[in-house]
Amino acid sequence: MFKLNFKKVFAFLFAFILCFGCIDVRADDGGYTIDDYKVNAIYHSNNTIDVKEVINVNFSSNRHGIYRNIPETMYVNRDEKYKLSIKNITVMNDEYEVDYDSGNRVIQIGSEDYTIIGPHTYTLTYTIVIPEDYHSDLDFIYYSVLGNNWDTTINHFSFDIQFEKALTEKEMSNIQVFSGSLGNQSNDLNVQPSITSNSITGSAYDIGPKQAITIFGKLRQGYFVGAKQTTSKIPFIFLGLAILFGLYSLVRCLLLKKTHITPIVNFYPPKDMDPAMVGTIVDESVDQEDLMALIPYWASKGYLTISETSDDLILTKVEDHEPPVLNHQKKIYNGLFKYKDSVKLSNLSTNFGKAMNDAKEALNNEFSGDKKLSKIDHGFVTTILAMICMIVCILFNTRYSIVDNLIETILATFTFVIMMVMNYSAAASSVFNKNKLGVLKKALSVALVLIVIYFIYRQTQSIVSIVSFEFMVIGIVATTLPILFSSKFNVVSDYFKSVAGDLLGFKDFIEKAEVPQLERLSEENPSYYYDVIPYAMVFGLSEMWTKKFSTIPLAQPDWYDSYYSDPYTSYFYYRMLTRSMYEPIHQNLLDYQTEQMKSTADSMGSSFGGFSGGGAGGGGGGSW
């Protein structure tokens, strides 16, 4: 499974910001003033503006030239913003370069080979492409003829805006001029505009640094025709696919019948399956406890003896007994007794951890092919596809930038994955382990979905969104429903059905057997408790099994030497299994896994190194 390494992602983003954010063509402030600044613009009916700027600059010290920043984002309010395109940039009679910096087009005018002092006139032209607005009842103009990021004084500024399509009298009366510092909603620079049906002109004097002049006006709907489209078919396409895949998965889920296994009453463990195999079948997973159950199983079968001390457990191989023949058994048996006939669990080497891992792989291989325990219905695949399509729909459900929807997308992805993990389970689990948390998991899943819907509601209420909230909810519900029932897509195999009845009946007997019945079975077979407890371990019923024998006299077997004195009870043996045996083996496996992880990390980092001048940061710059 793909795992996202957040440390690497953040490191990459940090490096990206450093690499691309360190471009700064802006020089130190000062060294010039603007004597005169003229803007001539043609406002076309497709909402593009052809702009010509004539800037008379007076340099008081040697400078190479000036730069001009033109924003590529237009904000109307907190939720309403537009991605602009700045095209057809030219500068007359001067060298220039065009670059990007922090969401701006940067025009750097001048030459590195010479400097200027005194007056100089710069003439530049460009086109602003404004996309289709989000309003269904009006169009509008919103144009900053003078931006607020000039860092010097402007003695005189004038503008002349010509409209390709004539304004009505009502539209002329709606035109407003805002001037002054950023965010100002008055006319502090006292600009006196002259407004006709075809133009707006005006001027201002003695403008300080960081001052702006903006024209705003509401126009009739349909004033702009042929503006750049801001909508996209992508979210609609993926929403449709999500609903389609989701509904198909739901129908498929409803058509799949739940497997019913009839328990066959059974008092004895299966003869052809050891506890590790049974543990693998009941939950389709090879667990540590499944493999550890082989030790008491071997003891009861005469393969080894167990001696308990005050702080350790000693396993001794029985010489005249044939070793195990099954592959997974041999790997653990050899891991214990490969070099010596007797081993203390506290002295197990890391080779034993490797043997356990190898045994796990061998046992997984045992249940493959004709003995495969389950298969995945293709409805599970379509459920995954519905999830992916819905996530893509949320990500692209914006007229501006997918960055706007990252929070909603990440939350939806997290929710869908958590729901899948919670509600999907092995087919065998529903047969052997009645999941009492099923209702709670579904309730938690619904709660998570409601949180996602709330965030989607907030997103779609902003007019930056493309698909309406109602359709988004339909898509989320169509995607969510099959996830809630995703466990049905794991279908048990014919082999599983052939063995599950006996095992389920044996498990039910361990759970429900009465003491008188167990007393009779123990009289028939004095080692009955010891023969069954390895299987009770893999069923998760060893404690229950031991409690049933708390009043039944048990003879201490000759292959087990308990540290505790008489009277001997089932509790002593159970304590040995859960503490003296489990804890050192568990610790050994942790040590082995830690060693493996360290070895992997060392091999990955063996060629890592640094050098002078490397690493994040660095770079340099100076004045222009």
Side-chain angles (χ1 to χ4, degrees), residues 376-394:
I376 304 298
D377 185 81
H378 64 267
F380 182 76
V381 177
T382 53
T383 301
I384 298 292
L385 290 175
M387 287 170 47
I388 294 173
C389 290
M390 195 63 223
I391 290 167
V392 174
C393 172
I394 295 170

PDB file of all heavy atoms in Angstrom, residues 376-394:
ATOM      1  N   ILE A 376     -12.266 -11.492  -3.371  1.00  0.00           N
ATOM      2  CA  ILE A 376     -12.851 -10.153  -3.339  1.00  0.00           C
ATOM      3  C   ILE A 376     -13.773  -9.984  -4.537  1.00  0.00           C
ATOM      4  O   ILE A 376     -13.368 -10.170  -5.684  1.00  0.00           O
ATOM      5  CB  ILE A 376     -11.757  -9.073  -3.368  1.00  0.00           C
ATOM      6  CG1 ILE A 376     -10.769  -9.269  -2.223  1.00  0.00           C
ATOM      7  CG2 ILE A 376     -12.377  -7.685  -3.295  1.00  0.00           C
ATOM      8  CD1 ILE A 376     -11.382  -9.150  -0.864  1.00  0.00           C
ATOM      9  N   ASP A 377     -15.022  -9.643  -4.260  1.00  0.00           N
ATOM     10  CA  ASP A 377     -15.970  -9.373  -5.339  1.00  0.00           C
ATOM     11  C   ASP A 377     -15.615  -8.061  -6.023  1.00  0.00           C
ATOM     12  O   ASP A 377     -15.094  -7.126  -5.384  1.00  0.00           O
ATOM     13  CB  ASP A 377     -17.388  -9.306  -4.768  1.00  0.00           C
ATOM     14  CG  ASP A 377     -18.432  -9.138  -5.847  1.00  0.00           C
ATOM     15  OD1 ASP A 377     -18.802 -10.130  -6.474  1.00  0.00           O
ATOM     16  OD2 ASP A 377     -18.845  -7.975  -6.082  1.00  0.00           O
ATOM     17  N   HIS A 378     -15.897  -7.967  -7.318  1.00  0.00           N
ATOM     18  CA  HIS A 378     -15.522  -6.760  -8.063  1.00  0.00           C
ATOM     19  C   HIS A 378     -16.281  -5.524  -7.593  1.00  0.00           C
ATOM     20  O   HIS A 378     -15.911  -4.396  -7.931  1.00  0.00           O
ATOM     21  CB  HIS A 378     -15.721  -6.963  -9.570  1.00  0.00           C
ATOM     22  CG  HIS A 378     -17.148  -7.178  -9.962  1.00  0.00           C
ATOM     23  ND1 HIS A 378     -17.727  -8.421 -10.077  1.00  0.00           N
ATOM     24  CD2 HIS A 378     -18.118  -6.289 -10.278  1.00  0.00           C
ATOM     25  CE1 HIS A 378     -18.988  -8.290 -10.452  1.00  0.00           C
ATOM     26  NE2 HIS A 378     -19.249  -7.014 -10.580  1.00  0.00           N
ATOM     27  N   GLY A 379     -17.325  -5.708  -6.803  1.00  0.00           N
ATOM     28  CA  GLY A 379     -18.025  -4.558  -6.232  1.00  0.00           C
ATOM     29  C   GLY A 379     -17.132  -3.744  -5.313  1.00  0.00           C
ATOM     30  O   GLY A 379     -17.317  -2.534  -5.148  1.00  0.00           O
ATOM     31  N   PHE A 380     -16.140  -4.397  -4.723  1.00  0.00           N
ATOM     32  CA  PHE A 380     -15.183  -3.689  -3.875  1.00  0.00           C
ATOM     33  C   PHE A 380     -14.346  -2.726  -4.708  1.00  0.00           C
ATOM     34  O   PHE A 380     -14.059  -1.602  -4.290  1.00  0.00           O
ATOM     35  CB  PHE A 380     -14.279  -4.697  -3.159  1.00  0.00           C
ATOM     36  CG  PHE A 380     -13.284  -4.070  -2.222  1.00  0.00           C
ATOM     37  CD1 PHE A 380     -13.671  -3.593  -0.997  1.00  0.00           C
ATOM     38  CD2 PHE A 380     -11.951  -3.977  -2.586  1.00  0.00           C
ATOM     39  CE1 PHE A 380     -12.757  -3.015  -0.132  1.00  0.00           C
ATOM     40  CE2 PHE A 380     -11.025  -3.404  -1.736  1.00  0.00           C
ATOM     41  CZ  PHE A 380     -11.425  -2.925  -0.499  1.00  0.00           C
ATOM     42  N   VAL A 381     -13.980  -3.168  -5.913  1.00  0.00           N
ATOM     43  CA  VAL A 381     -13.174  -2.324  -6.806  1.00  0.00           C
ATOM     44  C   VAL A 381     -13.978  -1.097  -7.237  1.00  0.00           C
ATOM     45  O   VAL A 381     -13.462   0.033  -7.250  1.00  0.00           O
ATOM     46  CB  VAL A 381     -12.711  -3.124  -8.037  1.00  0.00           C
ATOM     47  CG1 VAL A 381     -11.950  -2.234  -9.005  1.00  0.00           C
ATOM     48  CG2 VAL A 381     -11.850  -4.306  -7.610  1.00  0.00           C
ATOM     49  N   THR A 382     -15.248  -1.292  -7.570  1.00  0.00           N
ATOM     50  CA  THR A 382     -16.064  -0.150  -7.989  1.00  0.00           C
ATOM     51  C   THR A 382     -16.324   0.809  -6.824  1.00  0.00           C
ATOM     52  O   THR A 382     -16.503   2.005  -7.035  1.00  0.00           O
ATOM     53  CB  THR A 382     -17.397  -0.617  -8.600  1.00  0.00           C
ATOM     54  OG1 THR A 382     -18.061  -1.515  -7.690  1.00  0.00           O
ATOM     55  CG2 THR A 382     -17.160  -1.344  -9.911  1.00  0.00           C
ATOM     56  N   THR A 383     -16.336   0.274  -5.602  1.00  0.00           N
ATOM     57  CA  THR A 383     -16.458   1.146  -4.430  1.00  0.00           C
ATOM     58  C   THR A 383     -15.227   2.035  -4.300  1.00  0.00           C
ATOM     59  O   THR A 383     -15.336   3.242  -4.030  1.00  0.00           O
ATOM     60  CB  THR A 383     -16.626   0.315  -3.150  1.00  0.00           C
ATOM     61  OG1 THR A 383     -17.797  -0.501  -3.258  1.00  0.00           O
ATOM     62  CG2 THR A 383     -16.765   1.208  -1.925  1.00  0.00           C
ATOM     63  N   ILE A 384     -14.042   1.452  -4.506  1.00  0.00           N
ATOM     64  CA  ILE A 384     -12.807   2.228  -4.475  1.00  0.00           C
ATOM     65  C   ILE A 384     -12.823   3.281  -5.577  1.00  0.00           C
ATOM     66  O   ILE A 384     -12.438   4.446  -5.364  1.00  0.00           O
ATOM     67  CB  ILE A 384     -11.581   1.305  -4.650  1.00  0.00           C
ATOM     68  CG1 ILE A 384     -11.493   0.295  -3.495  1.00  0.00           C
ATOM     69  CG2 ILE A 384     -10.299   2.119  -4.745  1.00  0.00           C
ATOM     70  CD1 ILE A 384     -11.173   0.892  -2.172  1.00  0.00           C
ATOM     71  N   LEU A 385     -13.290   2.903  -6.764  1.00  0.00           N
ATOM     72  CA  LEU A 385     -13.359   3.858  -7.877  1.00  0.00           C
ATOM     73  C   LEU A 385     -14.321   5.000  -7.559  1.00  0.00           C
ATOM     74  O   LEU A 385     -14.053   6.163  -7.904  1.00  0.00           O
ATOM     75  CB  LEU A 385     -13.799   3.143  -9.155  1.00  0.00           C
ATOM     76  CG  LEU A 385     -12.789   2.165  -9.768  1.00  0.00           C
ATOM     77  CD1 LEU A 385     -13.406   1.437 -10.958  1.00  0.00           C
ATOM     78  CD2 LEU A 385     -11.528   2.907 -10.200  1.00  0.00           C
ATOM     79  N   ALA A 386     -15.436   4.680  -6.895  1.00  0.00           N
ATOM     80  CA  ALA A 386     -16.384   5.731  -6.498  1.00  0.00           C
ATOM     81  C   ALA A 386     -15.721   6.707  -5.527  1.00  0.00           C
ATOM     82  O   ALA A 386     -15.897   7.932  -5.634  1.00  0.00           O
ATOM     83  CB  ALA A 386     -17.626   5.109  -5.862  1.00  0.00           C
ATOM     84  N   MET A 387     -14.953   6.169  -4.575  1.00  0.00           N
ATOM     85  CA  MET A 387     -14.229   7.015  -3.629  1.00  0.00           C
ATOM     86  C   MET A 387     -13.276   7.949  -4.361  1.00  0.00           C
ATOM     87  O   MET A 387     -13.252   9.163  -4.102  1.00  0.00           O
ATOM     88  CB  MET A 387     -13.434   6.143  -2.645  1.00  0.00           C
ATOM     89  CG  MET A 387     -14.263   5.436  -1.605  1.00  0.00           C
ATOM     90  SD  MET A 387     -13.279   4.203  -0.681  1.00  0.00           S
ATOM     91  CE  MET A 387     -11.806   5.128  -0.297  1.00  0.00           C
ATOM     92  N   ILE A 388     -12.483   7.390  -5.276  1.00  0.00           N
ATOM     93  CA  ILE A 388     -11.486   8.186  -5.991  1.00  0.00           C
ATOM     94  C   ILE A 388     -12.159   9.281  -6.820  1.00  0.00           C
ATOM     95  O   ILE A 388     -11.730  10.442  -6.817  1.00  0.00           O
ATOM     96  CB  ILE A 388     -10.624   7.271  -6.889  1.00  0.00           C
ATOM     97  CG1 ILE A 388      -9.783   6.320  -6.028  1.00  0.00           C
ATOM     98  CG2 ILE A 388      -9.724   8.101  -7.796  1.00  0.00           C
ATOM     99  CD1 ILE A 388      -9.043   5.268  -6.824  1.00  0.00           C
ATOM    100  N   CYS A 389     -13.237   8.911  -7.508  1.00  0.00           N
ATOM    101  CA  CYS A 389     -13.943   9.898  -8.342  1.00  0.00           C
ATOM    102  C   CYS A 389     -14.528  11.018  -7.501  1.00  0.00           C
ATOM    103  O   CYS A 389     -14.482  12.202  -7.893  1.00  0.00           O
ATOM    104  CB  CYS A 389     -15.044   9.209  -9.157  1.00  0.00           C
ATOM    105  SG  CYS A 389     -14.414   8.132 -10.457  1.00  0.00           S
ATOM    106  N   MET A 390     -15.071  10.683  -6.330  1.00  0.00           N
ATOM    107  CA  MET A 390     -15.659  11.712  -5.470  1.00  0.00           C
ATOM    108  C   MET A 390     -14.577  12.637  -4.929  1.00  0.00           C
ATOM    109  O   MET A 390     -14.771  13.852  -4.826  1.00  0.00           O
ATOM    110  CB  MET A 390     -16.416  11.043  -4.307  1.00  0.00           C
ATOM    111  CG  MET A 390     -17.357  11.990  -3.586  1.00  0.00           C
ATOM    112  SD  MET A 390     -18.676  12.599  -4.670  1.00  0.00           S
ATOM    113  CE  MET A 390     -18.731  14.335  -4.223  1.00  0.00           C
ATOM    114  N   ILE A 391     -13.430  12.090  -4.609  1.00  0.00           N
ATOM    115  CA  ILE A 391     -12.319  12.901  -4.104  1.00  0.00           C
ATOM    116  C   ILE A 391     -11.839  13.863  -5.192  1.00  0.00           C
ATOM    117  O   ILE A 391     -11.590  15.043  -4.923  1.00  0.00           O
ATOM    118  CB  ILE A 391     -11.170  11.996  -3.619  1.00  0.00           C
ATOM    119  CG1 ILE A 391     -11.591  11.276  -2.332  1.00  0.00           C
ATOM    120  CG2 ILE A 391      -9.896  12.796  -3.382  1.00  0.00           C
ATOM    121  CD1 ILE A 391     -10.682  10.139  -1.944  1.00  0.00           C
ATOM    122  N   VAL A 392     -11.717  13.368  -6.427  1.00  0.00           N
ATOM    123  CA  VAL A 392     -11.303  14.233  -7.543  1.00  0.00           C
ATOM    124  C   VAL A 392     -12.345  15.323  -7.773  1.00  0.00           C
ATOM    125  O   VAL A 392     -12.002  16.487  -8.031  1.00  0.00           O
ATOM    126  CB  VAL A 392     -11.087  13.406  -8.821  1.00  0.00           C
ATOM    127  CG1 VAL A 392     -10.811  14.314 -10.007  1.00  0.00           C
ATOM    128  CG2 VAL A 392      -9.939  12.434  -8.632  1.00  0.00           C
ATOM    129  N   CYS A 393     -13.619  14.964  -7.683  1.00  0.00           N
ATOM    130  CA  CYS A 393     -14.694  15.953  -7.852  1.00  0.00           C
ATOM    131  C   CYS A 393     -14.573  17.073  -6.824  1.00  0.00           C
ATOM    132  O   CYS A 393     -14.665  18.257  -7.165  1.00  0.00           O
ATOM    133  CB  CYS A 393     -16.053  15.271  -7.727  1.00  0.00           C
ATOM    134  SG  CYS A 393     -17.445  16.413  -7.696  1.00  0.00           S
ATOM    135  N   ILE A 394     -14.344  16.717  -5.567  1.00  0.00           N
ATOM    136  CA  ILE A 394     -14.203  17.728  -4.512  1.00  0.00           C
ATOM    137  C   ILE A 394     -12.987  18.604  -4.780  1.00  0.00           C
ATOM    138  O   ILE A 394     -13.030  19.821  -4.621  1.00  0.00           O
ATOM    139  CB  ILE A 394     -14.094  17.042  -3.133  1.00  0.00           C
ATOM    140  CG1 ILE A 394     -15.400  16.321  -2.792  1.00  0.00           C
ATOM    141  CG2 ILE A 394     -13.767  18.060  -2.042  1.00  0.00           C
ATOM    142  CD1 ILE A 394     -15.320  15.429  -1.572  1.00  0.00           C
TER     143      ILE A 394
END
